[in-house]
C-alpha cells in the first residue's frame, strides 16, 4: 500500500454537558481528524484526540498539528507498506508524540482493513460481537448533582460508572453514590492528582472499603513506586493509565507490582498497533484490561469499539454512546449504547461507519493537505 494524499482537519464540537476532572473543566473538544488516501482512491480516517491543554499529557492540539505536518505525514507519504504495523514503523524515529502518531496509525489501519474487505475488529484480532460500555462522570457542583447524574446513566443501562476524584472530592461523593447504588460496579479516577502525603494516603486508603472495581491513576504518571507501595497496602486494585505509554512502562509496572488492572488508550499509547501489543502483553501476564477514552468523536470511538472486541478486554470500556457527549457525531450511523452494550460492526469493512464529511468540514477550524510526489 502507498498513501499519496493526507488531509488534516481540526474539528471543534461542543459538549452536551461540561466535563470537569482534577485538572480542568471543558465545554467543547477540538480534535484533529486524519484522512489518508491511497493511489487507487481508497480512504481511511483516523483521529488525533489530544486535549487542547497540556493537562492529561504533554501533547496538545497545537503540538500534534505541528508534529504531524512537519514529521509524521512526510514520513508516510509515498512510502510502500504491506501492513499497518509497517506504516507505524515509518515514524518510529520521532520520539514521544503518541497522540499525533495514534491518529495516523488509526487511519492506516482503517485504510488497510477497508481495502482488505474486513472489519477493523477482525483486522485487529477481535472476537466479540458486542462490547460492554462503561460511563465516565466528571466532578459536579455538588454531591447531589453527581448522584443525579449517576442515576441517569444507571437508568440508561450502563453497568459500570467511573467517578473523577481529586483531593477534597473523594470520600463524600463515593460514599453517597455507593449508598444510593449499593450493587453498582463503580470505580474512581484521580488522573494523578494525589501524592504520598499523610492526608492524601489516608483519603485513598479510606476508599478501600467502598467496594470499588479499581482506583485509577492515583499518583503522577512516573511515580510507579508510589503506586506499588499503595497497591501493597490496599485490597482494591490500582489501575494504571497515564503511567503506561509503551510496552517498557508496562513491563516495569508489572515487575514492581504497581497495579493489577490496565487502561489501554489508543491515543496515549501511539495507536492501534501499540494498543494491540499492550493487550497481548497484559494478557500474557493475566492482567485484565479495558479501553479508556478521550471523549473521541465517532472516528476514534469506532476504533475503540473495534479494539474492545479483543479477548483480553474483560472489563467495561469507555465506549459509551456518542450522544452522551455530542448532539451530533461525525459518523453515520452514530455510535449508540443499548442498555450498556455497543454493537461491533462486523458486516462492514474498515471502521464500519461512514464519515459525514459535510458536517465535519462545516465544523473545521483549519485544514492542511499534503500530497506525495508523482
Amino acid at each position: 500500500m502507498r498513501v499519496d494524499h493526507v488531509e488534516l482537519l481540526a474539528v471543534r464540537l461542543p459538549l452536551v454537558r461540561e466535563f470537569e476532572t482534577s485538572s480542568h473543566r471543558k465545554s467543547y473538544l477540538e480534535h484533529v481528524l486524519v484522512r489518508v488516501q491511497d493511489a487507487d482512491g481508497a480512504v481511511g480516517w483516523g483521529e488525533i484526540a489530544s486535549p487542547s491543554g497540556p493537562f492529561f499529557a504533554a501533547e496538545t492540539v497545537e503540538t500534534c498539528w505541528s508534529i504531524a505536518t512537519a514529521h509524521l505525514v512526510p514520513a508516510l507519504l509515498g512510502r510502500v507498506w504491506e501492513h499497518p504495523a509497517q506504516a507505524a514503523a515509518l515514524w518510529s524515529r520521532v520520539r514521544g508524540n503518541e497522540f499525533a502518531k495514534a491518529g495516523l496509525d488509526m487511519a492506516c489501519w482503517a485504510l488497510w482493513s477497508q481495502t482488505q474487505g474486513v472489519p477493523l475488529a477482525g483486522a485487529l484480532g477481535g472476537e466479540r460481537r458486542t462490547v460492554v460500555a462503561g460511563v465516565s462522570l466528571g466532578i459536579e457542583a455538588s454531591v447531589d448533582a453527581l448522584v443525579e447524574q449517576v442515576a441517569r446513566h444507571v437508568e440508561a443501562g450502563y453497568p459500570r460508572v467511573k467517578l473523577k476524584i481529586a483531593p477534597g472530592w473523594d470520600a463524600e461523593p463515593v460514599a453517597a453514590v455507593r449508598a444510593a447504588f449499593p450493587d453498582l460496579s463503580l470505580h474512581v479516577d484521580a488522573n494523578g492528582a494525589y501524592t504520598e502525603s499523610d492526608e492524601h494516603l489516608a483519603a485513598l486508603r479510606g476508599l478501600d472499603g467502598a467496594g470499588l472495581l479499581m482506583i485509577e491513576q492515583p499518583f503522577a504518571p512516573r511515580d510507579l513506586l508510589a503506586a506499588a507501595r499503595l497497591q501493597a497496602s490496599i485490597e482494591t486494585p490500582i489501575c494504571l493509565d497515564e503511567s503506561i505509554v509503551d510496552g517498557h512502562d508496562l513491563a516495569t509496572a508489572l515487575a514492581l507490582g504497581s497495579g493489577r488492572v490496565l487502561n489501554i488508550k489508543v491515543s496515549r499509547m501511539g495507536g492501534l498497533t501499540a494498543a494491540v501489543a499492550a493487550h497481548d502483553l497484559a494478557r500474557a501476564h493475566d492482567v485484565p484490561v479495558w479501553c479508556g477514552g478521550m471523549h473521541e468523536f465517532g472516528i476514534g470511538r469506532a476504533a475503540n469499539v473495534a479494539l474492545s472486541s479483543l479477548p483480553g478486554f474483560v472489563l467495561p470500556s469507555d465506549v459509551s454512546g456518542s450522544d452522551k457527549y455530542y448532539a451530533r457525531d461525525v459518523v453515520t450511523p452514530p455510535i449508540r449504547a443499548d442498555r450498556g452494550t455497543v454493537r461491533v460492526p462486523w458486516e462492514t469493512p474498515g471502521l464500519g461507519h461512514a464519515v459525514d464529511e459535510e458536517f465535519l468540514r462545516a465544523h473545521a477550524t483549519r485544514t492542511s493537505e499534503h500530497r506525495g510526489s508523482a
Side-chain angles (χ1 to χ4, degrees), residues 224 227-228 231 237-240 253-254 256-262 287:
L224 290 171
Q231 183 66 94
I238 288 178
C239 171
L240 297 175
L254 291 171
L256 291 174
S258 301
R260 299 174 187 159
V261 178
L262 175 63
V287 173

Side-chain angles (χ1 to χ4, degrees), residues 229-320:
R229 287 188 286 266
L230 178 63
Q231 183 66 94
S233 69
I234 63 175
E235 293 296 324
T236 305
I238 288 178
C239 171
L240 297 175
D241 178 0
E242 290 96 319
S243 291
I244 309 301
V245 175
D246 59 25
H248 300 296
D249 294 330
L250 179 54
T252 300
L254 291 171
L256 291 174
S258 301
R260 299 174 187 159
V261 178
L262 175 63
N263 170 353
I264 295 180
K265 282 182 178 170
V266 175
S267 295
R268 188 194 72 235
M269 301 204 72
L272 289 166
T273 302
V276 171
H279 161 273
D280 294 346
L281 179 59
R283 195 178 185 211
H285 286 81
D286 296 320
V287 173
V289 304
W290 56 282
C291 181
M294 293 299 299
H295 295 175
E296 289 89 349
F297 302 161
I299 293 169
R301 194 170 296 266
N304 288 347
V305 170
L307 181 69
S308 299
S309 71
L310 271 67
F313 286 84
V314 296
L315 297 171
S317 292
D318 279 345
V319 290
S320 54

Side-chain angles (χ1 to χ4, degrees), residues 6-362:
V6 178
E7 186 176 9
L8 304 177
L9 305 95
V11 175
R12 178 178 294 192
L13 294 180
L15 288 167
V16 170
R17 183 181 179 84
E18 290 189 348
F19 193 89
E20 184 174 346
T21 69
S22 59
S23 61
H24 66 293
R25 191 172 186 87
K26 49 197 173 186
S27 59
Y28 69 88
L29 288 180
E30 185 176 34
H31 289 168
V32 177
L33 302 183
V34 182
R35 183 186 186 274
V36 299
Q37 183 174 317
D38 72 4
D40 296 322
V43 171
W45 284 89
E47 180 171 343
I48 299 175
S50 62
S52 296
F55 305 117
F56 176 83
E59 289 177 86
T60 67
V61 173
E62 291 298 325
T63 67
C64 287
W65 188 274
S66 174
I67 292 296
T69 55
H71 300 285
L72 306 183
V73 172
L76 176 64
L77 277 174
R79 301 290 295 277
V80 177
W81 46 276
E82 296 182 3
H83 187 272
Q86 294 173 333
L90 295 174
W91 50 76
S92 60
R93 291 189 306 156
V94 177
R95 294 188 182 274
N97 296 285
E98 285 79 16
F99 278 80
K101 291 176 180 177
L104 271 76
D105 179 80
M106 187 188 302
C108 289
W109 273 97
L111 173 65
W112 185 79
S113 57
Q114 179 75 32
T115 59
Q116 298 299 306
V118 299
L120 180 58
L124 295 171
E127 299 175 354
R128 297 186 182 88
R129 263 47 186 176
T130 61
V131 298
V132 179
V135 67
S136 176
L137 301 181
I139 295 171
E140 293 288 341
S142 68
V143 171
D144 288 343
L146 176 64
V147 173
E148 180 182 336
Q149 285 301 308
V150 174
R152 185 165 71 87
H153 289 90
V154 169
E155 176 63 27
Y158 287 106
R160 185 273 282 163
V161 172
K162 175 169 75 172
L163 306 178
K164 295 291 185 179
I165 62 170
W169 178 268
D170 38 42
E172 185 180 2
V174 169
V177 171
R178 178 52 77 210
F181 304 96
D183 299 321
L184 177 64
S185 182
L186 183 69
H187 93 253
V188 298
D189 181 12
N191 290 117
Y194 291 76
T195 68
E196 286 191 282
S197 71
D198 291 344
E199 181 182 4
H200 286 187
L201 286 175
L204 291 169
R205 289 175 178 142
L207 298 173
D208 201 24
L212 297 176
L213 185 64
M214 66 190 83
I215 298 173
E216 186 178 353
Q217 199 63 46
F219 303 115
R222 297 292 176 263
D223 205 348
L224 290 171
L225 289 173
R229 287 188 286 266
L230 178 63
Q231 183 66 94
S233 69
I234 63 175
E235 293 296 324
T236 305
I238 288 178
C239 171
L240 297 175
D241 178 0
E242 290 96 319
S243 291
I244 309 301
V245 175
D246 59 25
H248 300 296
D249 294 330
L250 179 54
T252 300
L254 291 171
L256 291 174
S258 301
R260 299 174 187 159
V261 178
L262 175 63
N263 170 353
I264 295 180
K265 282 182 178 170
V266 175
S267 295
R268 188 194 72 235
M269 301 204 72
L272 289 166
T273 302
V276 171
H279 161 273
D280 294 346
L281 179 59
R283 195 178 185 211
H285 286 81
D286 296 320
V287 173
V289 304
W290 56 282
C291 181
M294 293 299 299
H295 295 175
E296 289 89 349
F297 302 161
I299 293 169
R301 194 170 296 266
N304 288 347
V305 170
L307 181 69
S308 299
S309 71
L310 271 67
F313 286 84
V314 296
L315 297 171
S317 292
D318 279 345
V319 290
S320 54
S322 56
D323 55 337
K324 178 185 180 301
Y325 300 106
Y326 308 106
R328 179 175 172 180
D329 205 350
V330 301
V331 299
T332 57
I335 296 168
R336 292 286 186 263
D338 180 14
R339 303 306 299 172
T341 63
V342 176
R343 187 182 65 84
V344 181
W346 282 91
E347 305 82 6
T348 309
L351 284 176
H353 298 262
V355 175
D356 189 343
E357 289 200 38
E358 181 179 358
F359 175 72
L360 69 85
R361 291 183 186 280

